C-alpha cells in the first residue's frame, strides 16, 4: 500500500512563534525520509495562503497541495483531506493525517477515513478526558522524529 502524509500546520508554527530551528530541522528530516520513499505530502492549515507561501519560501519545505483557510469548508470537516486524496487519486485509507489537534486534525482524518497521528509534544492530550473514541488517533507521537519508525513499522513503504 502506498502511504501519503498530510500535515496540519498551526498558526504558531507558520509564523515562527513555536516553530523553532529544531522543529524545522525535524520537519526537513521527515520530508527527506518521505522523499526517499517517494511519499507525497500535503498541508491543511487554517493559515492564510500568504503565510503558507512564506513558510515554503523561508524553509524550503514544500507541501503539495497546500490548502489554507481559503479552502472551504475547513477542518474538522473532511473536505480538505478528501480534496487532496482526489487530487492524488488515492483512497483516504491510503493517507495518514498528522496533526497537533484532536478536535481539528484527528476528527478530520477520522471523518475522511484516513489513518491519524497526533503530534502531542507537551503531553496535553494524556488526560482521560481525551479518551473518547471520536478523538482517539490511530497513532500518537511526541516528536516528528517518532514518525519515521512508526511509518516503517506499520506500513509498506517500498518505493
Amino acid at each position: 500500500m502506498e502511504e501519503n502524509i498530510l500535515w496540519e500546520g498551526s498558526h504558531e508554527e507558520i509564523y515562527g512563534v513555536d516553530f523553532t530551528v529544531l522543529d524545522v530541522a525535524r520537519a526537513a528530516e521527515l520530508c527527506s525520509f518521505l522523499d526517499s520513499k517517494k511519499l507525497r505530502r500535503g498541508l491543511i492549515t487554517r493559515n492564510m495562503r500568504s503565510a503558507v507561501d512564506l513558510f515554503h519560501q523561508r524553509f524550503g519545505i514544500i507541501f503539495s497541495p497546500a490548502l489554507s483557510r481559503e479552502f472551504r469548508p475547513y477542518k474538522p470537516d473532511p473536505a480538505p483531506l478528501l480534496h487532496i486524496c482526489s487530487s492524488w487519486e488515492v483512497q483516504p485509507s491510503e493517507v495518514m493525517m498528522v496533526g497537533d489537534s484532536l478536535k481539528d486534525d484527528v476528527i478530520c482524518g477520522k471523518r475522511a477515513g484516513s489513518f491519524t497521528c497526533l503530534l502531542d509534544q507537551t503531553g496535553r492530550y494524556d488526560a482521560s478526558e481525551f479518551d473518547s473514541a471520536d478523538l482517539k488517533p490511530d497513532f500518537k507521537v511526541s516528536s516528528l522524529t517518532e514518525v519515521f519508525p512508526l511509518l516503517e513499522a506499520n506500513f509498506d513503504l517500498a518505493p
Side-chain angles (χ1 to χ4, degrees):
M1 171 177 60
E2 180 179 308
E3 195 62 28
N4 302 280
I5 308 299
L6 291 170
W7 251 312
E8 178 281 334
S10 70
H11 174 82
E12 293 80 14
E13 290 174 341
I14 294 290
Y15 286 102
V17 175
D18 286 341
F19 208 93
T20 64
V21 172
L22 184 57
D23 293 326
V24 172
R26 288 178 179 156
E29 286 176 21
L30 182 56
C31 289
S32 291
F33 171 79
L34 297 173
D35 290 346
S36 75
K37 300 294 185 180
K38 297 184 177 9
L39 300 175
R40 293 174 281 196
R41 59 183 181 268
L43 179 72
I44 301 171
T45 181
R46 288 184 180 224
N47 284 290
M48 298 183 323
R49 180 81 221 168
S50 59
V52 173
D53 293 342
L54 177 63
F55 177 85
H56 285 158
Q57 292 169 0
R58 187 175 191 191
F59 299 113
I61 300 172
I62 308 298
F63 296 91
S64 180
L67 302 181
S68 59
R69 74 169 67 165
E70 290 84 3
F71 183 94
R72 302 292 173 127
Y74 44 77
K75 56 187 181 169
D77 191 286
L81 196 152
L82 294 172
H83 175 81
I84 290 175
C85 289
S86 177
S87 72
W88 285 348
E89 297 180 346
V90 299
Q91 296 300 311
S93 61
E94 298 177 89
V95 172
M96 178 183 287
M97 175 73 157
V98 178
D100 63 359
S101 169
L102 282 173
K103 71 178 184 71
D104 290 327
D105 306 319
V106 172
I107 296 286
C108 174
K110 286 192 161 293
R111 287 180 179 167
S114 297
F115 289 99
T116 57
C117 180
L118 177 65
L119 175 62
D120 185 10
Q121 295 176 312
T122 63
R124 80 182 222 192
Y125 293 116
D126 288 340
S128 61
E129 67 186 276
F130 300 112
D131 288 342
S132 161
D134 289 343
L135 298 175
K136 189 165 179 66
D138 297 300
F139 304 98
K140 183 177 170 189
V141 296
S142 59
S143 167
L144 287 176
T145 58
E146 294 174 42
V147 176
F148 295 86
L150 182 155
L151 291 171
E152 290 182 315
N154 294 283
F155 302 98
D156 177 11
L157 303 178

